Amino acid sequence: MSESAVAVRSIGSGYEVFGEQIGDASTTPLAGRLIALDTNALLGLYRVHWSSTENILAALRKIQDQLFLPAQVQREFWLNRDKVLREVMTANPTQGLATAETSVKKLIAEAARDIDSTERADLSRLVDETFTSLRQAIGVRSAASRARRALADPSSDAVLAALSEMFAGRTGAPFTLEEDERIRQQGLSRFARRQPPGYMDAAKADGGFGDYFLWEQLVAGAKTSGRPVVLVTNDLKEDWWRLLSKNAPISARFELVDEMRSRAGVDFRTLTLDQLLTALANDPTSELEESAIDDSGVGAAEVGETETPTETWEPHEFAAVVARLRELGYPRRADVMLAAAEVPTGVLDRSEVLSLLGWSLDAKMTGFTRAIRNVQRELADRAVIRPSLTWALSAEYDGPGKAQRFAVPPEIARASVHRPGPPDHSPLTA
């Protein structure tokens, strides 16, 4: 064998996962990989707007031949489906309308001096009719309404029907009783050594074996298929991920990558559902819409962090988000936020953002605001900013498809307009 044919080893040989940066996961090549979705990713389909659910399901159908449903995920899906549907049923899909209706009626009342009583009555009636129609339309189409129908009659559950079709012939078998007991004993030993995955759940009443069972089924699936494995999970615990901080995953734990390599001879990666969708959407042949990624996150979901914001941004909070984005390697997003803050309306058109980024006008911006939202959650968890704030940068849509505008909170734009001195001396650019 010639010298050139011999692989030259270096300090990083075999440890390439440590060279990955935040954001690299979304560029993971997916072709030829076995892709398993965790329970949280599947049940999350019930929590978001139906347009997003449809787009996500359409994206999954494109990789249907690569999908694999471990038996542990199948079990957890059914054991938790009723609970999730009941949670969704109790959500209020029209909670934001009450605030909007109050604001509109307040405007009419303030303008009463300039409007005669007949016209004022007509306007009030129009407002009442409009908001009543909105409540009815949203109520019928809401996640809560769909959840109620799905729980009462599973045959009407469009999510379940789609998943049943996609995972037909792609669902793994559960362990036998003997295998179950053996793996539990192995899990106890691993948990005691804090060997991933599963040790973070060891204190649970059921022993927390779910993640370890899932892991063993992924290894078995890799051995059978001979294909590298991607686990799609929104479980951001340290026994699955290398983490920069909470809500800031970098890549799979090296121990898992190494174990999969040694036991099955293939690669292993972890992705969040957002990262998977972003990777699919960034494929030049993909037709996945940007709105599917943006709406799939917790911030736009109908269940979860949906409280109507009650507090306005302070400049130092906005500056904290900007600074953290730069620390995490997202300077372009920080630049876009600052540029939008310098506009009186706080809004930049898509073309303006693309120009600022130096990207072509036909470039995809899938998941562009995701890093900003993750940073905002992290800073709120650390009590650096308040948790009840609106998103620091929001993508605005005229309908399904591409984001047409990007906006910072209006109070930040107003602060930018009225502050003294040039922008470079502002606390927003500190």
Side-chain angles (χ1 to χ4, degrees), residues 24 51 75 91 93 99 101 104 126 128 135 154 159 201 205 214 223 259 288 327 349 400:
D24 284 354
S51 60
R75 175 179 173 79
T99 302
E101 184 176 10
V104 173
L126 178 60
D128 289 336
R135 287 191 182 88
V159 171
D201 292 334
L214 169 57
K223 288 180 178 179
E259 183 176 351
L288 184 64
E327 290 175 3
D349 288 338

Side-chain angles (χ1 to χ4, degrees), residues 319-390:
V321 176
V322 169
R324 186 60 174 155
L325 285 168
R326 295 195 188 283
E327 290 175 3
L328 296 180
Y330 296 111
R332 289 181 170 179
R333 287 165 173 79
D335 291 342
V336 169
M337 289 174 58
L338 291 175
E342 296 299 326
V343 177
T345 60
V347 179
L348 294 177
D349 288 338
R350 180 187 183 90
S351 60
E352 294 177 299
V353 174
L354 289 171
S355 176
L356 182 66
L357 297 172
W359 295 358
S360 64
L361 291 179
D362 60 352
K364 292 188 175 183
M365 300 186 68
T366 309
F368 184 76
T369 60
R370 182 63 52 207
I372 298 170
R373 295 184 177 192
N374 288 340
V375 163
Q376 190 169 332
R377 292 189 186 103
E378 177 202 349
L379 294 179
D381 288 340
R382 290 165 46 196
V384 175
I385 65 175
R386 290 162 293 163
S388 56
L389 297 167
T390 56

Side-chain angles (χ1 to χ4, degrees), residues 37-46 69-85 157 159-161 163-164 167:
L37 275 71
D38 201 357
T39 314
N40 48 59
L42 296 181
L43 291 176
L45 294 171
Y46 289 113
L69 184 68
Q72 182 63 27
V73 174
Q74 178 194 24
R75 175 179 173 79
E76 291 176 358
F77 174 84
W78 284 109
L79 291 180
N80 289 283
R81 176 177 173 271
D82 286 5
K83 176 184 176 182
V84 169
L85 289 175
D157 185 349
V159 171
L160 183 59
L163 296 179
S164 298
F167 289 113

Side-chain angles (χ1 to χ4, degrees), residues 82 133 143 171 273 359:
D82 286 5
S133 298
T171 302
L273 180 59
W359 295 358

Side-chain angles (χ1 to χ4, degrees), residues 23-331:
D24 284 354
S26 298
T27 62
T28 297
L30 298 176
R33 294 178 181 265
L34 195 67
I35 299 175
L37 275 71
D38 201 357
T39 314
N40 48 59
L42 296 181
L43 291 176
L45 294 171
Y46 289 113
R47 299 180 182 273
V48 296
H49 299 289
W50 179 242
S51 60
S52 294
T53 302
E54 286 185 311
N55 280 323
I56 295 169
L57 291 173
L60 294 178
R61 289 189 184 97
K62 292 180 179 296
I63 55 171
Q64 181 169 312
D65 291 343
Q66 297 174 247
L67 295 179
F68 170 58
L69 184 68
Q72 182 63 27
V73 174
Q74 178 194 24
R75 175 179 173 79
E76 291 176 358
F77 174 84
W78 284 109
L79 291 180
N80 289 283
R81 176 177 173 271
D82 286 5
K83 176 184 176 182
V84 169
L85 289 175
R86 285 193 294 269
E87 289 175 355
V88 175
M89 284 168 54
T90 62
N92 179 8
T94 62
Q95 60 185 352
L97 288 181
T99 302
E101 184 176 10
T102 299
S103 297
V104 173
K105 288 184 175 180
K106 183 178 179 181
L107 287 174
I108 293 176
E110 290 174 348
R113 290 171 297 182
D114 302 319
I115 302 175
D116 62 49
S117 59
T118 301
E119 187 177 2
R120 188 164 60 250
D122 289 341
L123 287 173
S124 295
R125 184 170 55 255
L126 178 60
V127 170
D128 289 336
E129 292 173 353
T130 299
F131 280 95
T132 297
S133 298
L134 282 171
R135 287 191 182 88
Q136 292 173 345
I138 293 174
V140 170
R141 296 171 177 81
S142 70
S145 177
R146 295 197 308 273
R148 186 175 293 104
R149 293 193 298 270
L151 188 59
D153 178 13
S155 66
S156 69
D157 185 349
V159 171
L160 183 59
L163 296 179
S164 298
E165 178 185 351
M166 280 190 284
F167 289 113
R170 301 180 179 87
T171 302
F175 293 126
T176 64
L177 290 176
E178 293 78 9
E179 290 171 332
D180 185 291
E181 180 57 29
R182 174 178 57 81
I183 291 169
R184 285 178 185 273
Q185 293 303 314
Q186 290 177 348
L188 290 173
S189 176
R190 291 171 66 114
F191 297 168
R193 303 192 304 271
R194 296 182 66 81
Q195 180 178 351
Y199 67 79
M200 292 290 290
D201 292 334
K204 288 185 176 180
D206 62 358
F209 290 103
D211 281 359
Y212 182 51
F213 272 47
L214 169 57
W215 172 247
E216 287 295 323
Q217 290 165 0
L218 291 175
V219 173
K223 288 180 178 179
T224 300
S225 67
R227 300 161 77 180
V229 176
V230 174
L231 173 64
V232 180
T233 180
N234 293 329
D235 183 355
L236 300 183
K237 294 198 297 291
E238 68 173 38
D239 55 353
W240 282 116
W241 296 87
R242 293 175 56 231
L243 296 170
L244 178 65
S245 59
K246 186 177 180 181
N247 293 321
I250 303 174
S251 60
R253 282 283 294 263
F254 170 75
E255 295 92 329
L256 299 177
V257 175
D258 193 46
E259 183 176 351
M260 183 68 78
R261 187 185 297 149
S262 63
R263 293 179 61 187
V266 298
D267 186 36
F268 176 71
R269 287 289 182 267
T270 49
L271 295 176
T272 65
L273 180 59
D274 287 336
Q275 289 171 339
L276 172 72
L277 296 174
T278 300
L280 291 171
N282 285 333
D283 183 333
T285 65
S286 171
E287 298 177 359
L288 184 64
E289 296 172 341
E290 289 179 11
S291 55
I293 313 301
D294 194 52
D295 289 345
S296 68
V298 178
E302 295 186 6
V303 178
E305 298 173 3
T306 53
E307 300 143 11
T308 302
T310 58
E311 297 178 284
T312 57
W313 282 81
E314 295 292 340
H316 73 272
E317 293 174 304
F318 190 79
V321 176
V322 169
R324 186 60 174 155
L325 285 168
R326 295 195 188 283
E327 290 175 3
L328 296 180
Y330 296 111

